[in-house]
Amino acid sequence: MTDIDVLDWQARFDRRIMRSIGMPLAKLDHGRGARVWDDAGHEYLDFLAGIAVNSLGHAHPVFVEAVTAQASRLAHVSNYFTTEPALELAERLIRLAGAGEHGRAWFGNSGAEANEAAFKLARLNNSGGARSRVVALVDGFHGRTMGSLALTGKPHMREAFEPLPGGVEHIPATIAALEATIDESVAALFVEPIQGEAGVVELPDGFMTAARELTERHGALLIVDEIQTGAGRTGQWFGFQHSGITPDAITVAKGIGGGFPIGGLVTFGRASSLYSKGQHGSTFGGNPLATAVANAVLDEIETGGLVENAAARGGQIRERVDAIGSPLVTGTRGRGLLLGVALAEPVAMPLAAEAMRAGLIVNAANDSTIRMAPPLIIGDAEVDEFADKFSRALDAVASTRR
């Protein structure tokens, strides 16, 4: 592909795709495992996995077989019917989350749709109108639809679309802020176990325990957004499981479908009885194609030991980044295969671009953080390859700073 070819597809994109996103970094053609190729034949080691989505990498045989087999039977049936894949996925998620005998699941098509369902769940926990407040965290990200945007604590994402659904307050991720905020007027607290869009930031020690204790004491729901941290990515099936607490609900998406669009809400205990008939739905939610693929993806993660692999490879990546010894790197954070590399200077964008030139896909979560979320299938050799390419990218950026 020539420079003229690149300019041609970029011009087509600029002319015909809605300007709600930036210009794509490349026009990808195909993928296999942890690698993708653009239509000029350039190969990239994919350490972003569609932002934590492609948990089995690209074109995994299990994924391909599940799509093909289910598409040949039933692809869609609407909310008037159910299918075995939907029932099986609900039972599987309830088991993996430890939601117990009262656990229930609802399915939509995306993480934002899952958080919309959770937002409405919070509104139902209203004690006859006495609970009108919903609390979320300042640096939290929960999606771009109007309800999920109201929960998102980033002003630059919200301001152009105000007024948003009301009654939402954003507090810092501190135990002191929790203690000052949670009372009998709060319907729900939304948290992410690791704030991916904020730069892969973990919550302070003891935060989840305090959140659980305070919400339980005052009758508020604790709703955990597991959209980026779920499906084994952090070295546990769900991020909340690192803290030993039991939430009232979790939202899921991204990695559970391994690239097929699906989202969902899983409820625990009394939260499972808040919705009643006719209060929520989704035409495509829980369709047999999406749920069959999700079952196959989660089965492969479970039987293939990929949760344990995420924990092991995550530790290995941290060691490799430390061993590079670049003065631009101040440390790594996160868990499992959801990692952020903290930078001493605001060079994340040029560093991600240099990594791409070296054949490595990573992401600038903000000006001074590189985010990595490789597929759960990566092995030792790919981690070594990552370290080599990332080291070269760091050297290239460092050379421009001298």
Side-chain angles (χ1 to χ4, degrees):
M1 175 170 282
T2 66
D3 290 345
I4 293 175
D5 294 325
V6 173
L7 290 174
D8 178 64
W9 73 253
Q10 289 181 337
R12 289 168 57 203
F13 184 93
D14 190 49
R15 188 166 60 246
R16 295 303 182 201
I17 302 295
M18 191 76 69
R19 292 182 177 176
S20 60
I21 55 175
M23 181 60 66
L25 300 172
K27 184 152 73 85
L28 298 180
D29 182 72
H30 64 282
R32 185 160 298 278
R35 298 174 193 279
V36 291
W37 287 262
D38 65 22
D39 59 357
H42 298 123
E43 178 182 322
Y44 304 94
L45 180 63
D46 186 0
F47 259 49
L48 188 58
I51 314 181
V53 168
N54 302 312
S55 43
L56 301 185
H58 301 276
H60 193 287
V62 164
F63 182 98
V64 174
E65 167 62 23
V67 171
T68 305
Q70 186 58 47
S72 69
R73 295 173 61 87
L74 278 173
H76 176 71
V77 296
S78 87
N79 293 322
Y80 290 113
F81 305 94
T82 191
T83 61
E84 181 58 29
L87 295 172
E88 181 184 338
L89 182 61
E91 291 165 352
R92 183 187 295 263
L93 289 172
I94 288 165
R95 173 175 61 83
L96 295 175
E101 63 176 309
H102 299 297
R104 291 182 183 273
W106 172 89
F107 297 117
N109 306 289
S110 67
E113 198 177 347
N115 279 330
E116 292 286 342
F119 195 168
K120 290 176 71 174
L121 184 80
R123 288 283 191 250
L124 293 173
N125 184 40
N126 61 16
S127 294
R131 297 183 185 280
S132 58
R133 301 166 64 206
V134 173
V135 178
L137 301 183
V138 167
D139 290 323
F141 177 79
H142 300 284
R144 294 176 185 270
T145 56
M146 294 300 270
S148 62
L149 197 55
L151 298 169
T152 293
K154 294 175 177 293
H156 72 279
M157 290 182 175
R158 300 158 44 88
E159 288 169 353
F161 305 101
E162 292 174 343
L164 296 166
V168 181
E169 302 167 34
H170 296 94
I171 64 171
T174 67
I175 294 174
L178 283 176
E179 291 173 337
T181 305
I182 306 298
D183 60 23
E184 277 70 18
S185 68
V186 173
L189 169 67
F190 281 77
V191 300
E192 298 165 280
I194 298 174
Q195 296 178 317
E197 293 296 319
V200 194
V201 177
E202 292 183 78
L203 297 175
D205 289 345
F207 183 93
M208 290 291 275
T209 304
R212 177 68 287 183
E213 193 278 322
L214 285 163
T215 50
E216 195 165 66
R217 186 196 310 168
H218 294 291
L221 301 179
L222 176 58
I223 299 174
V224 182
D225 182 334
E226 294 278 1
I227 288 161
Q228 200 158 145
T229 50
R233 175 151 296 280
T234 67
Q236 293 276 358
W237 274 102
F238 299 102
F240 78 85
Q241 292 168 332
H242 290 284
S243 59
I245 61 103
T246 299
D248 296 295
I250 62 172
T251 53
V252 297
K254 288 186 180 282
I256 67 169
F260 203 98
I262 186 170
L265 173 68
V266 179
T267 55
F268 301 58
R270 72 179 179 91
S272 298
S273 60
L274 289 173
Y275 268 118
S276 56
K277 181 180 177 181
Q279 287 188 315
H280 198 49
S282 171
T283 296
F284 294 104
N287 79 58
L289 198 49
T291 51
V293 174
N295 278 318
V297 168
L298 294 178
D299 194 43
E300 182 66 16
I301 293 173
E302 193 166 16
T303 59
L306 299 185
V307 179
E308 294 79 8
N309 190 60
R313 296 290 84 75
Q316 203 175 1
I317 291 170
R318 284 172 176 263
E319 291 172 4
R320 295 292 195 279
V321 172
D322 290 345
I324 292 171
S326 171
L328 283 176
V329 174
T330 60
T332 57
R333 52 182 182 245
R335 285 180 181 270
L337 291 175
L338 181 57
L339 295 170
V341 177
L343 303 171
E345 300 178 38
V347 294
M349 290 289 285
L351 179 55
E354 286 295 343
M356 192 97 179
R357 276 189 275 277
L360 171 68
I361 298 176
V362 293
N363 164 250
N366 56 38
D367 288 345
S368 57
T369 307
I370 288 290
R371 174 172 49 182
M372 298 180 294
L376 309 189
I377 58 169
I378 63 162
D380 291 355
E382 286 157 331
V383 172
D384 289 342
E385 182 182 339
F386 149 78
D388 176 62
K389 293 176 186 290
F390 195 56
S391 177
R392 282 191 276 143
L394 283 165
D395 285 345
V397 172
S399 69
T400 67
R401 316 295 287 180
R402 294 176 187 134

